[in-house]
Amino acid sequence: MRSRRHALAVGLALAYSLALLGDQMLYVFLPSNPGAAGIAAASLGLVLSANRIVRLAANSMGGFLSDRLGRRRPYLLGMMLALASTAGYLFSDSLWPLLVCRALWGIAFALLHVGGIAIMLDHSTDADRGRTMGFYQSLLQLGTLVGLVLSGVLTDLLGYRGTLAIYVPLTALGLGIAIWVLREGDVAPPHHATPAAAGAAPLGTLATLRRLDRRLLAPAYVCFATHFEGSGVLAATLGMYLKTLASEPGGGGWLVPVASLTGLLLATRRLAGMIEAPIAGHLLDRFGDRRIVAAAGVLAILAGFVTLAGGRGVALVITGVVLVSVGEGFSQPAVVVWTGDGAPPHLRGVVMGGLSTAGDLGSALGPLVAYALLEAGGLRSAYALGAALALSALLALALVRGGAPLTQRA
């Protein structure tokens, strides 16, 4: 069973990473070259955000389909939509076709992200759930990191459409890998149990969701808060903060240009996630109580935002970003595993879709709130809000009871 679980993790992570290439290239290339896609700079924010807006509804829909139709078909549908959206980027030369492709990608991402997590949770137990998810998430972060670097190199060499001409067949390869790894009849979880099998009367989806442990709101809030802080506030304002520091008297002698330093620091978030996810998974299985690992991550994020809000200078900015990255690397696997503990096997897709929606909502609101605060009180006020939100997440973790699997609480 362990070898099958590892094969699934590697295959799904590779398929997911290949599907993600087109989306990553847009974030790498379009901010400085929107005309290459036939759009104006004023439309850039809408194009880059459209997929996240769609995901606010698509996450739960994708989870529902995964629970009702089985894991295989919705995941493969996601890969086909990813192929269609990447091909659409190649042939789109104006705003509206590109927006349609971004919406398709939002649906595809929801099916792949939620479906992949549900599959791996299905193939885990209370004893190894942390290590299983840590290994899988580490592979996802590795694929994302490689994709970002590859997109930068290829767009410099081949341009926008030349790179997409390579990414379309690579995404098709990802679809082929997904078809192979999710072989018909070979993806059912080895210990999947329905309510009827457990001796309970089957309930409708909504009725079962109403009976879920309300303590699962705690990891959902932590997921919202950490995404608001990292993917929202920090990612949206870091480049501006470094540019401001570089323009101050005596700030122009940096060895690394502002744009390159911004990219390197943002890449540390992926690198930290890749390195820490297996460590976090081991600690989650060792300690049992998921709150311990989640709280350690949130505490590091709090320290990072306090550093960013209270200090000046590039050294303090680097320290703050590294602390936030380390915190994300521990907190994100913890909330996934904690939520997986409390999700009934036949509703894992819907429940994990809800968790993903909480994170996407935080990622979407973070930049909006940060730039609103920027106008009123400057960047420090935005980072102070990040620190306050991290503190509220710590309080939520302290107040909730029991973050261990049900079998360990019995």
Side-chain angles (χ1 to χ4, degrees):
M1 188 178 79
R2 184 177 180 181
S3 61
R4 172 58 178 156
R5 184 166 64 235
H6 284 176
L8 267 175
V10 172
L12 291 176
L14 182 55
Y16 172 94
S17 300
L18 291 172
L20 198 62
L21 287 173
D23 174 75
Q24 289 178 302
M25 194 216 69
L26 297 190
Y27 284 98
V28 169
F29 188 75
L30 281 191
S32 56
N33 300 276
I39 63 172
S43 304
L44 186 61
L46 179 60
V47 168
L48 295 182
S49 300
N51 62 310
R52 281 184 175 172
I53 295 171
V54 169
R55 274 157 42 190
L56 293 177
N59 285 323
S60 295
M61 179 200 71
F64 178 81
L65 291 176
S66 183
D67 291 334
R68 284 302 178 97
L69 302 179
R71 309 300 188 206
R72 183 177 186 269
R73 284 184 287 173
Y75 195 93
L76 295 182
L77 174 61
M79 288 300 305
M80 288 186 281
L81 291 177
L83 176 58
S85 64
T86 305
Y89 300 155
L90 176 60
F91 296 108
S92 297
D93 57 2
S94 61
L95 175 61
W96 287 108
L98 192 58
L99 279 178
V100 171
C101 294
R102 295 298 286 160
L104 283 178
W105 168 245
I107 298 171
F109 182 88
L111 291 167
L112 298 176
H113 180 67
V114 174
I117 289 176
I119 290 169
M120 297 313 302
L121 286 173
D122 286 344
H123 286 77
S124 69
T125 66
D126 289 344
D128 61 24
R129 187 164 295 130
R131 282 166 291 174
T132 298
M133 295 310 302
F135 179 64
Y136 177 62
Q137 291 190 319
S138 179
L139 292 174
L140 295 185
Q141 296 288 357
L142 174 61
T144 302
L145 186 61
V146 171
L148 288 170
V149 174
L150 182 65
S151 291
V153 172
L154 288 180
T155 50
D156 281 339
L157 292 175
L158 304 174
Y160 177 76
R161 300 196 188 277
T163 302
L164 284 171
I166 293 176
Y167 281 178
V168 170
L170 285 178
T171 306
L173 174 62
L175 172 59
I177 291 171
I179 292 172
W180 178 80
V181 77
L182 298 177
R183 295 181 290 275
E184 190 74 53
D186 195 29
V187 73
H191 47 269
H192 188 86
T194 64
L203 297 170
T205 298
L206 290 178
T208 308
L209 288 174
R210 291 192 191 102
R211 296 180 58 170
L212 287 176
D213 191 338
R214 292 187 179 181
R215 287 173 292 183
L216 289 179
L217 293 174
Y221 180 71
V222 173
C223 185
F224 167 81
T226 53
H227 279 75
F228 183 101
E229 295 155 336
S231 299
V233 173
L234 184 60
T237 62
L238 180 60
M240 179 181 293
Y241 195 14
L242 291 173
K243 185 177 180 180
T244 301
L245 292 178
S247 65
E248 293 179 348
W254 297 358
L255 295 176
V256 181
V258 170
S260 297
L261 181 58
T262 302
L264 288 171
L265 289 176
L266 291 178
T268 61
R269 298 176 61 227
R270 302 296 183 185
L271 183 62
M274 182 186 74
I275 295 172
E276 290 177 63
I279 300 172
H282 175 77
L283 294 175
L284 286 164
D285 290 338
R286 180 178 179 84
F287 290 120
D289 193 334
R290 315 309 193 188
R291 295 175 304 168
I292 297 174
V293 179
V298 175
L299 190 61
I301 293 173
L302 173 60
F305 273 95
V306 168
T307 302
L308 289 167
R312 302 287 291 183
V314 67
L316 288 175
V317 173
I318 293 173
T319 301
V321 172
V322 170
L323 284 170
V324 173
S325 302
V326 169
E328 288 177 310
F330 282 113
S331 63
Q332 291 179 11
V335 298
V336 170
V337 172
W338 187 355
T339 305
D341 291 335
H346 65 294
L347 286 181
R348 276 187 179 134
V350 170
V351 175
M352 299 314 298
L355 183 70
S356 296
T357 299
D360 282 337
L361 184 61
S363 299
L365 289 178
L368 298 176
V369 175
Y371 280 104
L373 288 174
L374 180 64
E375 295 294 327
L379 276 172
R380 290 193 182 193
S381 63
Y383 295 145
L385 175 62
L389 207 58
L391 184 60
S392 72
L394 279 176
L395 290 175
L397 290 171
L399 292 173
V400 73
R401 238 180 352 102
L406 293 173
T407 55
Q408 293 184 22
R409 295 181 216 150

